[in-house]
Amino acid sequence: MSTEHTVIIGAGMAGLLTAAVIGATGRSVTVLEQDQGQGRGQDRGQGQDRGHGHGAPVPRGGVPQGRQPHVLLHRGLSAIEELLPGLRGQLVDAGGVPLDTGDLAWLGEHGWAPFGTPALELVSATRPLVEHVVRRRVAELPGVELRGGTRVRGLSRGPTTTGGGWLIECFDGPPVRADLVVDASGRSSRLPDWLTQLHIGAPATTAVDAGFGYAGRVYVAPSDHLGRVAGIVMLPVPGAPAGGVALPVEGGRWMVAAVGAGDHRPPRDPAGFDAFLTRLRDPALADFARSARPIGDITVHRRTHNVRRRYERLTHWPDGLLVVGDALCAFNPVYGQGITVAATQALLLRQMLAAGVRPGWERRLMRRLHRAAALPWAIATGEDLRHTGGGPASGLDALFGRWSGEVDRLAAHGNLRAQRALDRVYHLVGSPAGLLHPALLAAAVRGRLLGLPTPVPRPPLTPGSAQRDQTDTERHPAYPPPP
């Protein structure tokens, strides 16, 4: 199947990174996006929001979670740098804040993670800025067109008289012909309906919803507002299904988000938001919010369910069709996996194209794309099922889940090897097999027999006091370190 002209439906991160891969081969690529103003003009630096946040790029209407904090996992950062060399530097030049995960104040289920030792690098930035920098790079590729204001209505086979392929039918324009169609339209993808209309059939779909919700607000504070602490992460855990984050971003701002499941979802109003932060199991985020200056409204996001569409199980997968990103497998955003999975899928596409396309290559690639989503899916749904009272799918998963909890307990008691193993799995740079290191097994047995060391102390969290090294445990005796 010729891939001389490719049409990508959706101009989010999955669509942009796919366009970067295909465009780099010299093929013609058209990216269709329903949002207005997403064409080449904006990608050359126009169309930014001059009225808010220091001229920062505007969140796209197609990304409702775009106003919430985003964590670009280490694997995602390195994968995007591989796809678009120099992107990390451009992101930092645009205001992104480099930080080390070892400098985060991270409160997990069993206590604080070890603090102050080098671990994995991140660049903290708003989702609109990350997309803007990537979009600008992709738009510069010859043969790539970003076409905004285009709503796709359906998909049909092209007439044999014009060489076959696909016709992408649009609400507000003529159909677009393509040899290769890539669905990158996100979790709202209508491809299952289109395939049913083409008598190909819809994929089996699995959904897991723990009922999480976000409320986010932007604050103004210097990047060293927390001194040696680069940011705060408080995970929602069973028994305490509310948490939040505070991360520095471009323009001297911080993104603060509260997150909770079910009846513990945070509210939209400022008084309720502040009250929610004070009810968390540690005062760190409430203290930060009181010490910084809020700007703008509180934004909420509720669509956080996990959805996996098993296209690889369809008996007859059509030539010239791929599905990537959230259209294939969407995750609860609380785990920050979506962009990283899209970037790793783009790398798999690049490998396949470099090897040369042969008949049936789309079906083989779809299987690889699904495998790339398997580990993050297991992580996200495994954690979410704990909040719903459900359990893992198999006894082996349950056993591994208990062992992961044991490794987390070791980390909360100062075992740096345990923490680094967890970091590597969470950031998708290592295999879960790393949690089975003999040294960790020995440490767990020793802990059961002799007891674990003292828990990791609370990091030095004193908002607004970069020169001081006093802990908030001293300021808040009612909040001792978690057990």
Side-chain angles (χ1 to χ4, degrees):
M1 169 70 68
S2 170
T3 56
E4 291 180 356
H5 183 61
T6 297
V7 170
I8 299 173
I9 304 172
M13 287 295 291
L16 291 173
L17 295 175
T18 301
V21 168
I22 299 176
T25 67
R27 295 173 171 89
S28 173
V29 181
T30 300
V31 182
L32 303 179
E33 172 58 30
Q34 66 179 2
D35 292 331
Q36 290 284 353
Q38 300 297 327
R40 288 183 178 272
Q42 177 170 342
D43 300 318
R44 294 291 189 263
Q46 304 173 16
Q48 294 184 357
D49 180 5
R50 303 299 179 187
H52 301 85
H54 308 276
V58 183
R60 293 186 304 112
V63 186
Q65 74 275 28
R67 296 184 185 272
Q68 304 298 328
H70 280 74
V71 177
L72 181 57
L73 302 182
H74 180 79
R75 174 55 179 153
L77 179 62
S78 61
I80 295 176
E81 178 70 17
E82 188 174 346
L83 292 166
L84 298 168
L87 193 284
R88 178 208 172 275
Q90 291 178 323
L91 189 57
V92 172
D93 289 343
V97 181
L99 57 87
D100 192 295
T101 58
D103 293 329
L104 292 173
W106 185 287
L107 182 59
E109 182 172 3
H110 300 290
W112 293 100
F115 171 80
T117 56
L120 299 171
E121 185 199 33
L122 300 179
V123 175
S124 182
T126 61
R127 171 69 174 263
L129 179 63
V130 175
E131 283 199 6
H132 177 73
V133 175
V134 171
R135 185 184 302 275
R136 185 173 57 195
R137 286 287 301 272
V138 173
E140 293 171 350
L141 293 171
V144 174
E145 177 191 4
L146 305 183
R147 186 183 300 179
T150 303
R151 296 181 302 142
V152 176
R153 182 175 60 188
L155 192 64
S156 61
R157 298 282 195 176
T160 56
T161 56
T162 61
W166 296 94
L167 288 178
I168 298 89
E169 300 163 4
C170 303
F171 283 103
D172 34 21
V176 182
R177 195 190 70 80
D179 301 293
L180 175 66
V181 174
V182 182
D183 179 18
S185 58
R187 63 171 69 229
S188 299
S189 168
R190 296 184 57 213
L191 183 62
D193 296 333
W194 299 341
L195 292 182
T196 298
Q197 294 167 8
L198 291 170
H199 306 292
I200 295 172
T205 300
T206 302
V208 176
D209 188 0
F212 272 98
Y214 293 85
R217 199 172 197 184
V218 179
Y219 291 78
V220 174
S223 60
D224 63 351
H225 192 60
L226 295 175
R228 295 190 295 116
V229 176
I232 302 168
V233 179
M234 298 173 58
L235 298 180
V237 297
V245 300
L247 294 171
V249 295
E250 67 275 8
R253 297 171 296 161
W254 287 67
M255 298 285 287
V256 176
V259 60
D263 296 335
H264 299 273
R265 291 185 297 188
R268 184 192 299 267
D269 63 290
F273 182 80
D274 291 340
F276 184 94
L277 296 181
T278 64
R279 292 194 297 270
L280 298 178
R281 54 195 175 119
D282 186 276
L285 288 172
D287 284 350
F288 180 92
R290 282 192 294 266
S291 67
R293 177 169 62 90
I295 57 174
D297 297 326
I298 294 171
T299 59
V300 297
H301 179 60
R302 297 286 189 260
R303 198 175 185 193
T304 61
H305 58 291
N306 307 274
V307 181
R308 193 179 192 188
R309 301 181 175 100
R310 305 308 300 259
Y311 287 108
E312 87 283 10
R313 294 179 178 175
L314 292 179
T315 304
H316 302 291
W317 185 252
D319 293 339
L321 181 64
L322 296 173
V323 190
V324 298
D326 284 0
L328 183 67
C329 189
F331 311 94
N332 182 345
V334 73
Y335 307 111
Q337 299 167 320
I339 296 177
T340 296
V341 172
T344 57
Q345 290 175 342
L347 287 175
L348 290 172
L349 171 60
R350 188 173 72 170
Q351 293 171 6
M352 179 68 76
L353 294 179
V357 294
R358 297 184 297 275
W361 70 273
E362 300 94 337
R363 183 178 184 86
R364 293 191 296 272
L365 179 58
M366 287 295 297
R367 291 170 180 162
R368 295 183 187 180
L369 299 181
H370 275 283
R371 287 196 292 269
L375 174 57
W377 172 263
I379 293 172
T381 58
E383 286 299 312
D384 277 9
L385 285 170
R386 297 176 68 206
H387 289 279
T388 64
S394 71
L396 182 61
D397 287 340
L399 180 62
F400 189 81
R402 287 197 295 270
W403 172 246
S404 299
E406 188 68 24
V407 175
D408 184 51
R409 189 186 302 275
L410 291 174
H413 286 262
N415 189 311
L416 197 57
R417 181 189 293 275
Q419 183 59 44
R420 293 299 170 259
L422 291 169
D423 286 345
R424 291 182 61 79
V425 173
Y426 182 83
H427 285 270
L428 304 179
V429 296
S431 165
L435 301 179
L436 301 174
H437 193 283
L440 295 179
L441 297 171
V445 172
R446 192 162 52 246
R448 292 292 182 179
L449 295 176
L450 305 177
L452 291 169
T454 304
V456 171
R458 191 173 188 268
L461 284 161
T462 307
S465 301
Q467 285 73 38
R468 299 169 60 191
D469 193 18
Q470 173 187 347
T471 68
D472 269 3
T473 309
E474 297 169 327
R475 297 170 57 221
H476 296 275
Y479 289 92

